[in-house]
Coordinates of all heavy atoms in Angstrom, one line a residue:
E1 N 0.8 -1.2 0.0 CA 0.0 0.0 0.0 C 0.8 1.3 0.0 O 0.4 2.3 -0.4 CB -1.0 0.0 1.2 CG -2.1 -1.0 1.1 CD -1.6 -2.4 1.5 OE1 -0.4 -2.6 1.9 OE2 -2.5 -3.3 1.5
T2 N 2.1 1.2 0.5 CA 2.9 2.4 0.6 C 4.0 2.4 -0.5 O 4.8 3.4 -0.5 CB 3.5 2.6 2.0 OG1 4.3 1.3 2.3 CG2 2.4 2.7 3.0
R3 N 4.1 1.3 -1.2 CA 5.3 1.1 -2.1 C 5.3 2.1 -3.2 O 6.3 2.8 -3.5 CB 5.3 -0.3 -2.7 CG 6.6 -0.6 -3.6 CD 6.5 -2.0 -4.0 NE 6.4 -3.0 -2.9 CZ 5.6 -4.0 -2.9 NH1 4.8 -4.3 -4.0 NH2 5.5 -4.8 -1.9
R4 N 4.1 2.4 -3.9 CA 4.1 3.3 -5.0 C 4.4 4.8 -4.6 O 5.2 5.4 -5.3 CB 2.7 3.3 -5.6 CG 2.6 4.2 -6.8 CD 1.3 4.0 -7.6 NE 0.1 4.0 -6.7 CZ -1.1 3.8 -7.2 NH1 -1.3 3.5 -8.5 NH2 -2.2 3.9 -6.4
A5 N 3.9 5.2 -3.4 CA 4.2 6.6 -3.0 C 5.7 6.7 -2.6 O 6.3 7.7 -2.9 CB 3.4 6.9 -1.8
T6 N 6.3 5.6 -2.0 CA 7.7 5.6 -1.7 C 8.6 5.7 -2.9 O 9.5 6.5 -3.0 CB 8.1 4.4 -0.8 OG1 7.2 4.4 0.3 CG2 9.5 4.5 -0.4
L7 N 8.3 4.9 -3.9 CA 9.1 4.9 -5.2 C 8.9 6.2 -5.9 O 9.9 6.7 -6.4 CB 8.6 3.7 -6.1 CG 9.0 2.3 -5.6 CD1 8.3 1.3 -6.5 CD2 10.5 2.1 -5.6
A8 N 7.7 6.8 -5.9 CA 7.6 8.1 -6.5 C 8.4 9.2 -5.9 O 9.1 10.0 -6.5 CB 6.1 8.5 -6.5
S9 N 8.4 9.2 -4.5 CA 9.2 10.2 -3.8 C 10.7 10.0 -4.1 O 11.5 11.0 -4.2 CB 8.9 10.2 -2.3 OG 9.2 8.9 -1.8
L10 N 11.1 8.8 -4.1 CA 12.5 8.4 -4.4 C 12.9 8.9 -5.8 O 14.1 9.4 -6.0 CB 12.8 7.0 -4.2 CG 12.9 6.4 -2.8 CD1 12.9 4.9 -2.7 CD2 14.1 7.0 -2.0
G11 N 12.0 8.7 -6.7 CA 12.3 9.2 -8.1 C 12.5 10.7 -8.2 O 13.4 11.2 -8.9
V12 N 11.5 11.4 -7.5 CA 11.6 12.9 -7.5 C 12.9 13.3 -6.8 O 13.6 14.2 -7.3 CB 10.4 13.5 -6.8 CG1 10.6 15.0 -6.6 CG2 9.1 13.2 -7.6
Y13 N 13.3 12.7 -5.7 CA 14.5 13.0 -4.9 C 15.7 12.8 -5.8 O 16.7 13.6 -5.8 CB 14.5 12.2 -3.7 CG 15.9 12.3 -3.0 CD1 16.1 13.4 -2.2 CD2 16.8 11.2 -2.9 CE1 17.3 13.5 -1.5 CE2 17.9 11.4 -2.2 CZ 18.2 12.5 -1.5 OH 19.4 12.6 -0.8
L14 N 15.7 11.7 -6.5 CA 16.8 11.4 -7.5 C 17.1 12.5 -8.5 O 18.1 13.0 -8.8 CB 16.7 10.0 -8.1 CG 17.8 9.6 -9.0 CD1 19.2 9.5 -8.3 CD2 17.5 8.2 -9.6
V15 N 15.9 12.8 -9.2 CA 16.0 13.8 -10.3 C 16.4 15.1 -9.8 O 17.3 15.8 -10.4 CB 14.6 13.9 -11.0 CG1 14.6 15.1 -12.0 CG2 14.3 12.6 -11.7
V16 N 15.8 15.6 -8.7 CA 16.3 16.9 -8.1 C 17.7 16.9 -7.7 O 18.4 17.9 -7.9 CB 15.3 17.3 -7.0 CG1 15.8 18.6 -6.3 CG2 13.9 17.5 -7.5
S17 N 18.1 15.8 -7.1 CA 19.5 15.7 -6.6 C 20.5 15.8 -7.8 O 21.5 16.4 -7.7 CB 19.7 14.4 -5.8 OG 18.9 14.4 -4.6
L18 N 20.2 15.1 -8.8 CA 21.0 15.1 -10.0 C 21.1 16.5 -10.6 O 22.2 16.9 -11.1 CB 20.6 14.0 -11.0 CG 20.7 12.6 -10.7 CD1 20.0 11.7 -11.7 CD2 22.2 12.2 -10.5
V19 N 20.0 17.2 -10.6 CA 20.0 18.6 -11.1 C 21.0 19.5 -10.4 O 21.8 20.2 -10.9 CB 18.6 19.2 -11.1 CG1 18.6 20.7 -11.3 CG2 17.7 18.5 -12.1
F20 N 20.9 19.3 -9.0 CA 21.9 20.1 -8.2 C 23.3 19.6 -8.2 O 24.2 20.3 -7.6 CB 21.3 20.2 -6.7 CG 20.3 21.2 -6.5 CD1 19.0 21.0 -6.8 CD2 20.7 22.4 -6.1 CE1 18.0 22.0 -6.6 CE2 19.8 23.4 -5.9 CZ 18.4 23.2 -6.2
L21 N 23.5 18.4 -8.8 CA 24.9 17.9 -8.9 C 25.5 18.3 -10.3 O 26.7 18.5 -10.4 CB 24.9 16.4 -8.7 CG 24.9 15.9 -7.3 CD1 24.7 14.4 -7.2 CD2 26.1 16.3 -6.4
Y22 N 24.6 18.3 -11.4 CA 25.2 18.5 -12.7 C 24.8 19.8 -13.4 O 25.3 20.0 -14.5 CB 24.7 17.3 -13.5 CG 25.3 16.0 -13.0 CD1 24.7 15.1 -12.3 CD2 26.7 15.7 -13.3 CE1 25.2 13.9 -11.8 CE2 27.3 14.6 -12.9 CZ 26.6 13.6 -12.1 OH 27.2 12.5 -11.7
V23 N 24.0 20.6 -12.8 CA 23.8 21.9 -13.4 C 24.7 22.9 -12.8 O 24.6 23.2 -11.6 CB 22.3 22.4 -13.2 CG1 22.1 23.8 -13.7 CG2 21.3 21.4 -13.9
P24 N 25.6 23.4 -13.5 CA 26.8 24.2 -12.9 C 26.2 25.5 -12.1 O 26.7 25.8 -11.0 CB 27.5 24.7 -14.1 CG 27.3 23.7 -15.1 CD 25.9 23.2 -14.9
A25 N 25.1 26.1 -12.6 CA 24.6 27.3 -11.9 C 24.1 26.9 -10.5 O 24.0 27.9 -9.7 CB 23.5 27.9 -12.8
L26 N 23.7 25.7 -10.3 CA 23.2 25.3 -9.0 C 24.2 24.6 -8.1 O 24.0 24.2 -7.0 CB 22.0 24.4 -9.2 CG 20.7 25.0 -9.8 CD1 19.7 24.0 -10.1 CD2 20.2 26.1 -9.0
N27 N 25.4 24.4 -8.7 CA 26.4 23.6 -8.0 C 27.8 24.4 -8.1 O 28.7 24.0 -8.7 CB 26.6 22.3 -8.5 CG 27.5 21.4 -7.7 OD1 28.0 21.8 -6.6 ND2 27.8 20.2 -8.2
A28 N 27.7 25.6 -7.4 CA 28.9 26.5 -7.5 C 30.1 25.8 -6.9 O 30.0 25.1 -5.8 CB 28.6 27.8 -6.6
R29 N 31.2 25.9 -7.6 CA 32.5 25.2 -7.2 C 32.4 23.7 -7.1 O 33.3 23.1 -6.6 CB 33.0 25.8 -5.9 CG 33.3 27.3 -6.0 CD 34.0 27.9 -4.8 NE 34.2 29.3 -4.8 CZ 35.2 29.8 -5.5 NH1 36.1 29.1 -6.1 NH2 35.4 31.2 -5.5
G30 N 31.3 23.2 -7.6 CA 31.1 21.7 -7.7 C 31.2 21.0 -6.3 O 31.6 19.9 -6.2
L31 N 30.7 21.7 -5.3 CA 30.8 21.1 -3.9 C 29.5 20.6 -3.3 O 29.5 20.2 -2.1 CB 31.5 22.1 -3.0 CG 32.9 22.5 -3.4 CD1 33.4 23.6 -2.4 CD2 33.8 21.3 -3.3
N32 N 28.5 20.5 -4.1 CA 27.2 20.1 -3.5 C 27.2 18.6 -3.0 O 26.4 18.2 -2.2 CB 26.1 20.2 -4.6 CG 25.7 21.7 -4.7 OD1 26.1 22.6 -3.9 ND2 24.8 22.0 -5.6
F33 N 28.2 17.8 -3.6 CA 28.3 16.5 -3.1 C 28.6 16.4 -1.6 O 28.4 15.3 -1.0 CB 29.4 15.8 -3.8 CG 30.8 16.2 -3.4 CD1 31.5 15.5 -2.4 CD2 31.5 17.3 -4.0 CE1 32.7 16.0 -2.0 CE2 32.7 17.7 -3.6 CZ 33.3 17.0 -2.5
I34 N 29.0 17.5 -1.0 CA 29.3 17.5 0.4 C 28.1 17.0 1.2 O 28.2 16.4 2.3 CB 29.7 18.9 0.9 CG1 31.1 19.3 0.3 CG2 29.6 19.1 2.4 CD1 31.6 20.6 0.6
H35 N 26.9 17.4 0.8 CA 25.7 17.0 1.5 C 25.7 15.4 1.7 O 25.4 15.0 2.8 CB 24.4 17.4 0.8 CG 23.1 16.8 1.3 ND1 22.7 17.1 2.5 CD2 22.3 16.0 0.7 CE1 21.6 16.5 2.7 NE2 21.3 15.7 1.7
W36 N 25.9 14.6 0.7 CA 25.8 13.2 0.7 C 27.0 12.7 1.5 O 27.0 11.7 2.1 CB 25.6 12.6 -0.7 CG 24.3 13.0 -1.2 CD1 23.1 12.3 -1.1 CD2 24.0 14.1 -2.0 NE1 22.1 12.9 -1.7 CE2 22.6 14.1 -2.3 CE3 24.8 15.2 -2.5 CZ2 21.9 15.0 -3.1 CZ3 24.1 16.1 -3.3 CH2 22.7 16.1 -3.5
A37 N 28.2 13.4 1.3 CA 29.4 13.0 2.1 C 29.2 13.2 3.5 O 29.7 12.3 4.3 CB 30.6 13.8 1.6
N38 N 28.5 14.2 3.9 CA 28.2 14.5 5.4 C 27.4 13.3 5.9 O 27.6 12.9 7.0 CB 27.5 15.8 5.5 CG 28.4 17.0 5.3 OD1 29.6 16.8 5.5 ND2 27.8 18.2 5.0
I39 N 26.4 13.0 5.2 CA 25.4 11.9 5.7 C 26.2 10.6 5.9 O 26.1 9.9 6.9 CB 24.3 11.6 4.6 CG1 23.4 12.9 4.6 CG2 23.5 10.4 5.0 CD1 22.3 12.8 3.5
L40 N 27.1 10.3 4.9 CA 27.8 9.1 5.0 C 28.8 9.1 6.2 O 28.9 8.2 6.9 CB 28.6 8.8 3.7 CG 29.5 7.6 3.7 CD1 28.6 6.3 3.8 CD2 30.2 7.5 2.3
T41 N 29.5 10.2 6.3 CA 30.6 10.4 7.3 C 29.9 10.3 8.7 O 30.4 9.6 9.6 CB 31.3 11.7 7.2 OG1 31.9 11.7 5.9 CG2 32.4 11.9 8.2
I42 N 28.8 11.1 8.9 CA 28.2 11.2 10.2 C 27.6 9.8 10.6 O 27.6 9.4 11.8 CB 27.2 12.3 10.3 CG1 28.0 13.6 10.2 CG2 26.4 12.3 11.6 CD1 27.0 14.8 10.2
S43 N 27.0 9.1 9.6 CA 26.5 7.8 9.9 C 27.5 6.8 10.4 O 27.2 5.8 11.0 CB 25.7 7.3 8.7 OG 26.6 7.0 7.7
Q44 N 28.7 7.1 10.0 CA 29.8 6.2 10.3 C 30.5 6.5 11.7 O 31.3 5.8 12.2 CB 30.9 6.2 9.3 CG 30.4 5.7 7.9 CD 30.0 4.2 8.0 OE1 30.6 3.4 8.6 NE2 28.8 4.0 7.4
S45 N 30.2 7.7 12.2 CA 30.8 8.1 13.5 C 29.8 8.8 14.4 O 29.3 9.9 14.1 CB 32.0 9.1 13.2 OG 32.4 9.6 14.4
T46 N 29.4 8.2 15.5 CA 28.4 8.9 16.4 C 29.1 10.0 17.2 O 28.4 10.8 17.8 CB 27.9 7.8 17.4 OG1 29.0 7.2 18.1 CG2 27.1 6.8 16.7
K47 N 30.4 10.2 17.1 CA 31.0 11.3 17.7 C 31.3 12.5 16.8 O 31.9 13.5 17.2 CB 32.3 10.8 18.3 CG 32.2 9.9 19.5 CD 31.6 10.5 20.7 CE 31.5 9.6 21.8 NZ 30.9 10.3 23.0
M48 N 30.9 12.4 15.5 CA 31.2 13.4 14.6 C 30.7 14.7 14.9 O 31.5 15.8 14.8 CB 30.7 13.0 13.2 CG 31.1 14.0 12.1 SD 32.9 14.2 11.9 CE 33.4 12.5 11.4

């Protein structure tokens, strides 16, 4: 019952995220990947 809504939201999230990664005007200095790097780093260290 919740699968379709979840997949739709993941699809929108993926498209918007790719736009902010690959459109230069929205990714000044190409550093927007920091957001996902932060998530990965903090998830690996509870003391971060």
Side-chain angles (χ1 to χ4, degrees):
E1 290 81 0
T2 57
R3 187 178 303 139
R4 180 167 57 182
T6 305
L7 289 173
S9 63
L10 285 171
V12 172
Y13 173 72
L14 177 62
V15 171
V16 174
S17 298
L18 290 175
V19 167
F20 274 86
L21 282 174
Y22 292 103
V23 175
L26 296 173
N27 191 5
R29 300 188 180 277
L31 295 177
N32 283 354
F33 72 91
I34 288 175
H35 170 65
W36 293 273
N38 286 337
I39 294 175
L40 179 62
T41 301
I42 293 176
S43 68
Q44 297 300 313
S45 173
T46 54
K47 291 293 181 182
M48 183 56 66

